[in-house]
Short mmCIF file of all heavy atoms in Angstrom, two decimals:
data_model
loop_
_atom_site.label_atom_id
_atom_site.label_comp_id
_atom_site.label_asym_id
_atom_site.label_seq_id
_atom_site.Cartn_x
_atom_site.Cartn_y
_atom_site.Cartn_z
N CYS A 15 19.59 -30.86 26.24
CA CYS A 15 18.57 -31.83 26.16
C CYS A 15 17.50 -31.77 27.45
O CYS A 15 16.35 -31.92 27.25
CB CYS A 15 19.11 -33.22 26.22
SG CYS A 15 20.03 -33.64 24.68
N MET A 17 16.76 -29.06 29.09
CA MET A 17 15.97 -27.96 28.88
C MET A 17 14.88 -28.27 27.87
O MET A 17 13.64 -27.78 28.08
CB MET A 17 16.78 -26.72 28.51
CG MET A 17 17.56 -26.13 29.63
SD MET A 17 18.68 -24.72 29.30
CE MET A 17 18.41 -24.16 27.61
N CYS A 24 6.22 -29.03 29.88
CA CYS A 24 5.48 -27.81 30.40
C CYS A 24 4.37 -27.29 29.34
O CYS A 24 3.35 -26.95 29.64
CB CYS A 24 6.36 -26.63 30.73
SG CYS A 24 7.25 -26.92 32.21
N ALA A 31 -3.85 -23.04 32.01
CA ALA A 31 -4.40 -21.99 31.15
C ALA A 31 -5.96 -22.24 30.95
O ALA A 31 -6.65 -21.20 30.89
CB ALA A 31 -3.79 -22.11 29.83
N GLU A 39 -13.64 -15.76 32.77
CA GLU A 39 -14.95 -15.54 32.12
C GLU A 39 -16.05 -15.62 33.15
O GLU A 39 -17.25 -15.71 32.75
CB GLU A 39 -15.20 -16.52 30.98
CG GLU A 39 -14.32 -16.29 29.78
CD GLU A 39 -14.56 -14.99 29.02
OE1 GLU A 39 -15.78 -14.51 29.03
OE2 GLU A 39 -13.64 -14.43 28.57
N ASN A 49 -16.89 -39.44 40.76
CA ASN A 49 -18.11 -39.81 41.68
C ASN A 49 -18.86 -38.60 42.16
O ASN A 49 -19.89 -38.89 42.86
CB ASN A 49 -17.53 -40.75 42.79
CG ASN A 49 -17.08 -41.93 42.32
OD1 ASN A 49 -17.46 -42.66 41.44
ND2 ASN A 49 -15.91 -42.29 42.97
N LEU A 57 -20.65 -37.15 32.88
CA LEU A 57 -19.67 -38.12 32.22
C LEU A 57 -20.40 -39.29 31.65
O LEU A 57 -20.04 -39.82 30.46
CB LEU A 57 -18.64 -38.65 33.24
CG LEU A 57 -17.65 -37.79 33.87
CD1 LEU A 57 -16.83 -38.39 34.94
CD2 LEU A 57 -16.67 -37.24 32.71
N LEU A 83 -29.56 -19.41 34.05
CA LEU A 83 -29.81 -19.38 32.51
C LEU A 83 -28.69 -19.91 31.78
O LEU A 83 -28.88 -20.41 30.59
CB LEU A 83 -30.30 -18.05 31.96
CG LEU A 83 -31.57 -17.54 32.63
CD1 LEU A 83 -31.86 -16.13 31.98
CD2 LEU A 83 -32.88 -18.51 32.23
N PHE A 94 -5.62 -35.18 31.54
CA PHE A 94 -4.81 -36.38 31.41
C PHE A 94 -3.33 -36.14 31.68
O PHE A 94 -2.86 -34.97 31.51
CB PHE A 94 -5.00 -36.96 30.00
CG PHE A 94 -6.32 -37.58 29.72
CD1 PHE A 94 -7.45 -36.78 29.48
CD2 PHE A 94 -6.47 -38.92 29.89
CE1 PHE A 94 -8.67 -37.29 29.27
CE2 PHE A 94 -7.77 -39.58 29.62
CZ PHE A 94 -8.83 -38.74 29.33
N PRO A 95 -2.60 -37.16 32.08
CA PRO A 95 -1.12 -36.91 32.29
C PRO A 95 -0.29 -36.30 31.22
O PRO A 95 0.60 -35.50 31.29
CB PRO A 95 -0.53 -38.28 32.69
CG PRO A 95 -1.66 -39.03 33.19
CD PRO A 95 -2.92 -38.50 32.35
N SER A 96 -0.77 -36.63 29.95
CA SER A 96 -0.09 -36.14 28.68
C SER A 96 -1.16 -36.12 27.62
O SER A 96 -2.11 -36.88 27.63
CB SER A 96 1.10 -36.98 28.42
OG SER A 96 0.73 -38.29 27.96
N GLY A 98 -0.54 -37.65 24.84
CA GLY A 98 -0.50 -39.02 24.32
C GLY A 98 -1.43 -39.94 25.11
O GLY A 98 -2.11 -40.80 24.43
N LEU A 104 -8.88 -42.20 23.85
CA LEU A 104 -9.90 -41.99 22.78
C LEU A 104 -9.76 -42.86 21.53
O LEU A 104 -10.41 -42.83 20.53
CB LEU A 104 -10.04 -40.56 22.40
CG LEU A 104 -10.56 -39.64 23.39
CD1 LEU A 104 -10.53 -38.19 22.90
CD2 LEU A 104 -11.95 -40.09 23.85
N THR A 116 -12.41 -41.29 16.91
CA THR A 116 -13.07 -40.61 18.12
C THR A 116 -12.17 -39.41 18.52
O THR A 116 -12.53 -38.33 18.62
CB THR A 116 -13.30 -41.56 19.26
OG1 THR A 116 -14.20 -42.60 18.77
CG2 THR A 116 -14.03 -40.76 20.43
N LYS A 119 -12.17 -36.70 15.77
CA LYS A 119 -13.48 -35.92 15.82
C LYS A 119 -13.48 -34.92 16.96
O LYS A 119 -13.88 -33.80 16.89
CB LYS A 119 -14.69 -36.84 15.89
CG LYS A 119 -16.00 -36.28 16.11
CD LYS A 119 -16.63 -35.92 14.76
CE LYS A 119 -18.11 -35.55 14.94
NZ LYS A 119 -18.39 -34.17 14.85
N GLY A 128 -4.27 -29.66 24.22
CA GLY A 128 -3.10 -30.11 25.01
C GLY A 128 -3.40 -31.52 25.45
O GLY A 128 -3.91 -32.47 24.94
N SER A 137 -21.68 -24.00 23.53
CA SER A 137 -20.67 -23.39 22.60
C SER A 137 -19.93 -22.39 23.31
O SER A 137 -18.77 -22.22 23.00
CB SER A 137 -21.45 -22.80 21.37
OG SER A 137 -22.41 -21.81 21.82
N ASP A 141 -15.83 -22.35 23.23
CA ASP A 141 -14.93 -21.19 22.76
C ASP A 141 -13.91 -20.82 23.81
O ASP A 141 -12.73 -20.57 23.43
CB ASP A 141 -15.80 -20.09 22.47
CG ASP A 141 -16.66 -20.21 21.23
OD1 ASP A 141 -16.39 -21.15 20.40
OD2 ASP A 141 -17.71 -19.59 21.07
N ILE A 142 -14.30 -20.77 25.05
CA ILE A 142 -13.32 -20.44 26.17
C ILE A 142 -12.26 -21.56 26.11
O ILE A 142 -11.09 -21.15 26.22
CB ILE A 142 -14.11 -20.43 27.46
CG1 ILE A 142 -15.06 -19.20 27.55
CG2 ILE A 142 -13.16 -20.26 28.65
CD1 ILE A 142 -16.01 -19.22 28.69
N LYS A 144 -11.27 -23.57 23.80
CA LYS A 144 -10.34 -23.44 22.54
C LYS A 144 -9.25 -22.37 22.66
O LYS A 144 -8.12 -22.45 22.23
CB LYS A 144 -11.14 -23.17 21.28
CG LYS A 144 -11.97 -24.25 20.72
CD LYS A 144 -12.64 -23.95 19.55
CE LYS A 144 -13.69 -24.87 19.04
NZ LYS A 144 -14.28 -24.41 17.76
N LYS A 145 -9.72 -21.22 23.26
CA LYS A 145 -8.81 -20.05 23.28
C LYS A 145 -7.79 -20.14 24.45
O LYS A 145 -6.83 -19.36 24.45
CB LYS A 145 -9.65 -18.77 23.51
CG LYS A 145 -10.46 -18.35 22.34
CD LYS A 145 -11.36 -17.28 22.59
CE LYS A 145 -12.29 -16.97 21.41
NZ LYS A 145 -13.34 -15.85 21.72
#
Side-chain angles (χ1 to χ4, degrees):
C15 288
M17 287 180 1
C24 290
E39 290 295 326
N49 294 318
L57 290 175
L83 297 175
F94 286 81
S96 70
L104 294 176
T116 304
K119 175 92 169 96
S137 59
D141 289 341
I142 294 168
K144 282 182 195 178
K145 293 175 186 173

